[in-house]
Amino acid sequence: MSTSPVTPEFVVGQYDTGKLNLDGTLGHLTLEQSALLKKLWRKLLRSFEKSTKDITQVAQPEDTAQTVFKRSVRPRADDPDRSSTPQPEPVVASSSSSSSGIGGWFGFGVSKSSSDLQKKPAKEELLVGQVAPKSSLPPPFAKTGGSHAQRTIRDAFWGAVLCDHPDVLLLRFLRARKWDVDAALEMLLACLRWRLDEEIDWVVWVGESELNYKLVQRGIGVIHKTDRLGQPVLYIPVRLNDPQAQPADHMLDFTVYMMEVSRLFLYTPVDKVCLVFDTTDMALSNMDWTFFKTFLHYLEHYYPECLGLVLIYNASWVFYSLWKIVRPLLDPVVASKVQFATTAEELHRFIAPQNLPKAFNGGLDSFEFKYDLPEGDENKAMYDTEKREAAMQARDAACEAFERATGKWDDEGRAEAAQALIAASRDADKHVRARTMYHRAGVIDNTCKVEWS
C-alpha cells in the first residue's frame, strides 16, 4: 500500500489549496496503516534489548559521507592547546566515490588522492567556541551508555527520538519505504547506526561552539518563518558558499547540526521543511554539488519524509545548465519537490510576502541575518548535574511508560504516554542541548516552543 503519489502537480497543489496532505501521518491513518505501524512497533520492541553492536554491520546507503574520526575525542574549542595539538586530517570519507565528474558541493563524497590528502588545511578553522565567552560554552560532553557493546538499540532509538512523538518518527520510515515494515525497520536501524557512528548526540550537546565561526557568520543555512503551509523555511544563499574556505569536516558538522536544529521547528501536523536555494549572483566557484547531493541524501535516508519543497530562486543560466546534469541523479520523489521561482508572483505562491525577506522579490519582511555569538551562562542548565540527571530519569520513565502502553496497544494510554514523553523530553532538552542562535533571538524558548515575532 502507499500514500498519495508525489508529483510536481501534487506538491504545488497543496500550496494552491492551502492544505497539507496528511495521508499516512499521525492522526490520519487508515486501519491498514495503523496495523502496519503496530507491526513495526512490535518488531522494534523485540529488538530493544539487543546491543547496538548488532547494528554496526547494518549496510549504509551508498554515498553516505562520514567523518573518519570520532567527534567526541577532538580537543574542545576552549582547549588552549588545540592549535598545537596534532589533529586528524580533516578528510571526509564516502562509501562510494563520485563517478559523475561533478565536484562536491562542499567536497563530500569525492575520492581523495594521496596528493589531495597532503594539502594544507584551509585557513578558516576558527571555531565559535574559540571566539565566544568561555562562560557560554557547554560542559564537557557527558556521553551516556558507553560503547556500542554497552548500549542497547533501545538507548539508540530513544536518543534519536529527542522531542518528537515516537509514532511520527516511525511513520516517516514507513512512508519512505511505502509501508513495507521490514524495509522500514532496516532503514530505521541504518539510521540509528549512522547516528551512533557520527555521534549525533555530541553534535546536539556542543551546539554552535564546535562549528566553524566564519561559516556560521556567512549565514549559509538560516531558518526564518514559514511558508504558506506552515512549514519552516530554510534559506541557503549559494553565493555565500566558498568550498575552499573551510575543512570538509567542518562543513559536514555544520550540515548535520543544521538538520538537527531544523527538527526543533517541526510539530504535528507540520513535519516537513521548505528549502530555498537562493542562486542570486552565484558563480561557478560557489558550486559544490556534493553538499546539495549530501544534504538531500541525508534527508532521504536519515531524516526521511522531512522535505516538503525545494524552491530554487533566481536561477541563472549557469544553474540551469548544471541542473540538467544533476536532476537525473536525484531521487524521483525529491526531484518532484523542486520548483523554480523568480518573480514576486511565483514566490508568493509558496511564501506569503509578510514572511518573505525583502532581499527576495516582493518580500515585506525586514529580516537580515546577523550571527550573534553565544552569551555568557546561556548553557548553565547543562552544568546542573543533579537536575540534568533528574530530568533524564523522568524522561527514561516516560519512555518506559510509552513502551508498556505500546506493548498493550492501548490507544488512549499511548496518547497520554506520548504527551507525557514529549513534555519530559522538552524539559530535559535544556540540560542536553546547547542553546542555539534561535534561542538567543527569542524564537525558541526553553520548553522548545517556537514563536516568530
Side-chain angles (χ1 to χ4, degrees), residues 79-105:
D79 188 335
D81 297 322
R82 183 181 181 110
S83 60
S84 59
T85 302
Q87 297 292 305
E89 189 69 27
V91 177
V92 176
S94 172
S95 58
S96 67
S97 60
S98 172
S99 59
S100 65
I102 304 170
W105 206 29

Side-chain angles (χ1 to χ4, degrees), residues 173-366:
F173 289 92
L174 278 170
R175 294 197 303 273
R177 288 297 174 259
K178 296 180 170 52
W179 301 91
D180 182 324
V181 172
D182 290 332
L185 180 60
E186 181 179 0
M187 184 185 186
L188 172 61
L189 293 177
C191 174
L192 296 182
R193 174 198 160 178
W194 174 79
R195 294 183 69 88
L196 290 170
D197 288 346
E198 292 299 298
E199 296 190 308
I200 305 303
D201 49 355
W202 180 91
V203 174
V204 171
W205 179 279
V206 300
E208 295 164 16
S209 69
E210 292 289 331
L211 296 182
N212 185 292
Y213 179 48
K214 294 295 185 182
L215 177 59
V216 177
Q217 273 191 317
R218 289 204 295 273
I220 290 179
V222 178
I223 299 169
H224 183 67
K225 294 191 175 178
T226 60
D227 65 11
R228 288 192 179 276
L229 297 178
Q231 299 174 146
V233 182
L234 176 60
Y235 292 93
I236 301 177
V238 182
R239 67 184 178 280
L240 299 181
N241 174 47
D242 181 355
Q244 305 303 317
Q246 61 280 313
D249 67 306
H250 284 206
M251 182 51 74
L252 183 56
D253 287 347
F254 176 77
T255 303
V256 173
Y257 176 75
M258 185 167 55
M259 307 285 268
E260 287 298 309
V261 170
S262 297
R263 293 178 63 185
L264 292 172
F265 292 86
L266 303 179
Y267 61 91
T268 304
V270 177
D271 60 359
K272 294 181 175 66
V273 173
C274 169
L275 302 182
V276 176
F277 283 92
D278 180 5
T279 65
T280 303
D281 297 330
M282 60 157 280
L284 281 173
S285 60
N286 300 126
M287 296 308 297
D288 193 339
W289 279 101
T290 302
F291 168 75
F292 186 70
K293 290 174 63 181
T294 299
F295 190 52
L296 296 181
H297 175 86
Y298 281 0
L299 281 170
E300 180 184 354
H301 294 285
Y302 305 129
Y303 302 88
E305 293 291 309
C306 285
L307 180 62
L309 179 73
V310 178
L311 193 59
I312 309 297
Y313 175 66
N314 225 6
S316 66
W317 67 269
V318 174
F319 186 90
Y320 276 117
S321 299
L322 293 170
W323 175 246
K324 290 179 181 179
I325 300 173
V326 172
R327 192 183 191 286
L329 304 177
L330 297 179
D331 176 82
V333 173
V334 171
S336 71
K337 296 179 179 181
V338 177
Q339 295 290 320
F340 290 80
T342 299
T343 67
E345 183 180 3
E346 290 169 337
L347 283 167
H348 293 170
R349 187 179 192 181
F350 303 103
I351 304 172
Q354 64 269 22
N355 284 359
L356 189 66
K358 287 183 177 180
F360 294 81
N361 251 334
L364 299 179
D365 191 310
S366 59

